[in-house]
Amino acid sequence: MKYSDKVKELLENPHNAGKIENPDGVGQVGNPVCGDMMTIMIKVRDDRIEDIRFETFGCGAAIAVSSVVTDMAKGKTIDDAMKISNKVVAEELGDLPTNELHCSNLGADALQEAIRDYLDRKEGKVRRRKDMKVELISSHEGTCFCPYCNQELLVKGSSCSNCGKPTLDK
Amino acid sequence: MQPIYLDHISATPLHPEVRNAMVEYIQNKFGNPISQHRIGDEAMETLEGARKEVAGLIHAQPEEVIFTSGGTESINHAIKGVALAMGAKGRHIITSNIEHQSVLRSLRMLMKLGYRVTSLPVDKYGLVDPAGLEKAITDDTILVTIMHANNEIGTIEPIAEIGKITRERGILFHTDAVASIGVVPFNVEEMGVDLASMAANQFYGPSGVGALYVRPKTRIAPLLDGGIQEYNLRAGSQNMVGIVGMGKAAELAKKEMFQRMAYLLGLKSAFVEQLLTIDEIVINGHPELSIPNLISFSVKYIEGESMLLMLDEEGVYASTRSACATGSLRASHVLIAAGCDYTAAQGTLIVSFGITNTMEEVEKAFQALKKSVTFLRSMSPLYQKK
């Protein structure tokens, strides 16, 4: 089995799995075609992330990532939580299998989406998040998408061929 | 808890009698079958004895069977060997959308050399339409390669019907029968095949040894050139220990075939019956035309690999896709070809039973599965509780 004990442990006992009723911010990234999709919900009080929950469709690594990123963000101020990146999450979790990294390491992106959603709502802007429908997603042509720019990955490599962001897949 | 192995499609454990035969050989014998002395003669006798057993399993003559290093080599040999031997006679090959990687990649390699390949679609059960195949034949067609039983969904293809067509049209027909030979009856005459690939690790023999059935007068070139071994079709000193194991495994598979099939079907039926108590599960493959030892199903709203990992923690070992495609994050080409939607394809599990599994294990495995499905669905953003 290619997963580390830490990933296995987190899959068995994930922290912060579930839903928040009436969340202050919601972020959703990825799509099930690629094999991973993540939703993060936050509850904010006094500029601090009071509660955070995730729902994830994905492999063991994706669920472990969700657990780690939510643990990291819980209790942090919005400003501090905004500093959490995919790289930091990957380091915290340790050895993820390389080809799992790109598609599974969506945790920080989902968190940042949730924070943006929260800030937008606070400013009274229209909700940013589009409700994704499974039917729409599955009409894709069976290809893998970059989690950053949601473009199809044409070439496997160390960076996305569309947006140039590193995929950590070395 | 005693581990429950439900991944027999990847490799079967050695049958105790097979292991004994191999140990007996490795402890007492060696020798090259083509050496011209007594040690060589003994090895030759062992080799030919094993060949007879393998031939018997598929109702062929011993001289029509050549030993290889396994299913992959047999398939590569059949496809590339025919293409090489045919030369300028034709450059068109027909296959299906659900073949194993070793067929797909052998053909991809030939395409780079200028061959044309027609890949036939399958219906929702994964079945190839023989009428469609007949229409795809051109004057340039040299080979048809269609698998017998699919290794991911278990569907058994109408090989005999296809064999009838290829015989009438005078085109060579290869079948990748790795997932079926030794599991269900296989008769090279009734199926009308010219070439058939098989592997010992599908019927309680060792990994690293297989065979290719070659009908007499088939135009096929060797892939490995060298000595005169294997009727000049596969040079190199034989893997005698493996071949001894394969011979024994073939003998047992033939003797116990119907008994094993009935037993495996019992396990599979019991498992499927329980499976259907879980909501939103899709069974893949054909409900009847299927090998008795494998069931593929898609659990909607969750991903297969996380299920696999949770089952692993519970000591239940299954698979999500063909072992040869592990590492790919894409949905299985077999499931997509059979019209499964991408999200469901990601949630697929393949459970393959063996003769050492018990009804009790099937029950335990199901309970572990149910637990992981409930748990993962509770975390899934796609699952709406009913």
Side-chain angles (χ1 to χ4, degrees):
Chain A
M1 211 67 182
K2 58 186 180 176
Y3 290 105
S4 66
D5 288 344
K6 188 161 181 185
V7 170
K8 286 189 198 171
E9 163 61 26
L10 285 173
L11 175 63
E12 292 279 300
N13 302 297
H15 309 159
N16 315 312
K19 263 192 169 65
I20 292 178
E21 292 301 322
N22 305 315
D24 295 323
V26 179
Q28 186 168 54
V29 291
N31 69 61
V33 175
C34 186
D36 291 289
M37 180 174 170
M38 209 175 276
T39 307
I40 282 185
M41 287 149 270
I42 52 172
K43 195 92 189 162
V44 184
R45 180 178 287 185
D46 300 334
D47 207 34
R48 209 170 267 280
I49 298 180
E50 186 186 60
D51 196 11
I52 180 163
R53 299 271 157 186
F54 75 85
E55 287 189 316
T56 294
F57 167 93
C59 64
I63 290 168
V65 161
S66 311
S67 183
V68 166
V69 77
T70 49
D71 265 354
M72 289 175 90
K74 202 169 185 172
K76 280 205 168 69
T77 62
I78 291 293
D79 278 352
D80 283 347
M82 283 172 88
K83 289 176 193 144
I84 298 171
S85 66
N86 286 325
K87 194 161 170 269
V88 178
V89 175
E91 277 164 13
E92 173 75 17
L93 192 56
D95 44 335
L96 277 176
T98 48
N99 68 342
E100 302 286 346
L101 278 175
H102 186 63
C103 285
S104 314
N105 197 4
L106 306 162
D109 292 337
L111 172 68
Q112 299 312 331
E113 275 292 316
I115 293 173
R116 265 196 294 277
D117 185 40
Y118 160 73
L119 293 174
D120 285 353
R121 288 193 206 188
K122 209 166 92 174
E123 284 177 26
K125 280 193 201 161
V126 193
R127 286 185 60 186
R128 295 165 46 100
R129 188 171 78 91
K130 287 172 241 127
D131 279 315
M132 297 171 98
K133 287 214 171 61
V134 181
E135 288 77 17
L136 288 174
I137 293 158
S138 44
S139 68
H140 281 301
E141 294 298 310
T143 42
C144 206
F145 285 76
C146 171
Y148 301 103
C149 64
N150 210 27
Q151 293 291 307
E152 184 188 340
L153 286 179
L154 301 172
V155 196
K156 233 177 114 66
S158 58
S159 63
C160 169
S161 50
N162 304 296
C163 68
K165 285 206 181 179
T167 61
L168 301 172
D169 195 344
K170 298 220 170 71
Chain B
M1 191 170 100
Q2 193 74 6
I4 301 172
Y5 183 75
L6 297 174
D7 190 18
H8 292 80
I9 196 73
S10 294
T12 49
L14 285 185
H15 191 288
E17 285 189 46
V18 171
R19 189 175 54 224
N20 289 346
M22 291 172 76
V23 169
E24 164 79 16
Y25 187 86
I26 208 167
Q27 280 179 341
N28 300 306
K29 293 187 178 167
F30 71 103
N32 191 325
I34 51 175
S35 294
Q36 289 176 314
H37 46 61
R38 199 161 296 172
I39 300 276
D41 291 347
E42 272 178 25
M44 181 60 95
E45 211 173 285
T46 305
L47 174 67
E48 293 314 313
R51 199 187 304 281
K52 214 173 133 209
E53 296 298 346
V54 174
L57 181 62
I58 57 170
H59 303 272
Q61 297 304 312
E63 62 274 16
E64 297 164 358
V65 170
I66 64 166
F67 285 112
T68 66
S69 65
T72 294
E73 183 190 324
S74 298
I75 290 165
N76 270 263
H77 192 169
I79 294 173
K80 295 175 188 169
V82 165
L84 267 173
M86 284 295 187
K89 211 160 169 272
R91 308 216 119 210
H92 179 238
I93 298 171
I94 298 170
T95 187
S96 83
N97 283 344
I98 59 163
E99 301 293 316
H100 185 264
Q101 278 71 17
S102 48
V103 171
L104 299 178
R105 294 207 167 162
S106 294
L107 291 172
R108 205 178 293 166
M109 189 264 186
L110 288 177
M111 283 165 82
K112 283 186 192 155
L113 298 177
Y115 286 81
R116 287 181 306 113
V117 173
T118 301
S119 190
L120 300 169
V122 294
D123 69 8
K124 65 175 176 173
Y125 300 120
L127 284 171
V128 171
D129 174 21
L133 185 142
E134 188 160 19
K135 279 189 206 127
I137 295 174
T138 68
D139 293 342
D140 205 32
T141 309
I142 51 168
L143 177 71
V144 169
T145 177
I146 303 285
M147 70 201 319
H148 184 214
N150 182 272
N151 57 308
E152 288 190 38
I153 56 175
T155 299
I156 295 178
E157 300 296 334
I159 293 304
E161 273 180 72
I162 296 168
K164 212 166 150 239
I165 296 167
T166 54
R167 272 193 180 179
E168 273 169 18
R169 304 292 292 264
I171 295 162
L172 291 178
F173 179 27
H174 164 250
T175 189
D176 159 12
V178 171
S180 62
I181 288 180
V183 177
V184 293
F186 193 94
N187 185 318
V188 292
E189 290 310 322
E190 283 171 13
M191 306 216 172
V193 296
D194 300 293
L195 299 143
S197 296
M198 66 205 94
N201 69 2
Q202 296 293 307
F203 51 95
Y204 311 96
S207 286
V209 60
L212 178 64
Y213 162 77
V214 185
R215 185 175 292 283
K217 297 187 183 136
T218 299
R219 288 180 67 173
I220 181 167
L223 287 192
L224 299 180
D225 293 300
I228 59 154
Q229 291 93 345
E230 301 301 304
Y231 310 101
N232 277 316
L233 280 178
R234 207 267 188 186
S237 299
Q238 286 90 347
N239 164 16
M240 288 301 294
V241 184
I243 288 169
V244 165
M246 185 171 187
K248 191 68 187 173
E251 179 197 329
L252 294 168
K254 190 175 181 186
K255 197 167 75 184
E256 297 173 3
M257 179 147 305
F258 292 100
Q259 197 186 325
R260 286 181 183 181
M261 281 172 69
Y263 183 70
L264 292 168
L265 201 58
L267 296 179
K268 174 170 159 176
S269 309
F271 187 77
V272 171
E273 203 175 296
Q274 295 213 293
L275 206 54
L276 293 173
T277 63
I278 300 178
D279 64 315
E280 306 223 44
I281 279 200
V282 184
I283 305 275
N284 303 309
H286 198 282
E288 280 146 34
L289 302 171
S290 175
I291 42 177
N293 56 337
L294 181 145
I295 181 79
S296 162
F297 55 94
S298 302
V299 184
K300 287 193 178 174
Y301 315 118
I302 58 179
E303 200 263 351
E305 219 170 277
S306 49
M307 254 192 294
L308 193 69
L309 201 59
M310 294 210 69
L311 288 176
D312 182 72
E313 292 291 300
E314 298 276 328
V316 176
Y317 309 139
S319 60
T320 53
R321 54 175 68 223
S322 161
C324 295
T326 305
S328 160
L329 290 172
R330 292 195 171 198
S332 151
H333 70 283
V334 175
L335 291 168
I336 299 305
C340 183
D341 85 47
Y342 294 107
T343 313
Q346 294 282 14
T348 299
L349 212 61
I350 303 169
V351 168
S352 45
F353 305 98
I355 52 173
T356 51
N357 287 136
T358 63
M359 215 41 126
E360 198 195 344
E361 287 183 324
V362 170
E363 169 66 28
K364 277 187 183 162
F366 173 74
Q367 292 307 335
L369 173 74
K370 197 174 173 182
K371 192 175 139 194
S372 71
V373 168
T374 310
F375 180 69
L376 291 168
R377 275 185 173 171
S378 75
M379 282 194 280
S380 170
L382 303 172
Y383 185 63
Q384 303 299 326
K385 283 181 198 76
K386 297 241 156 55

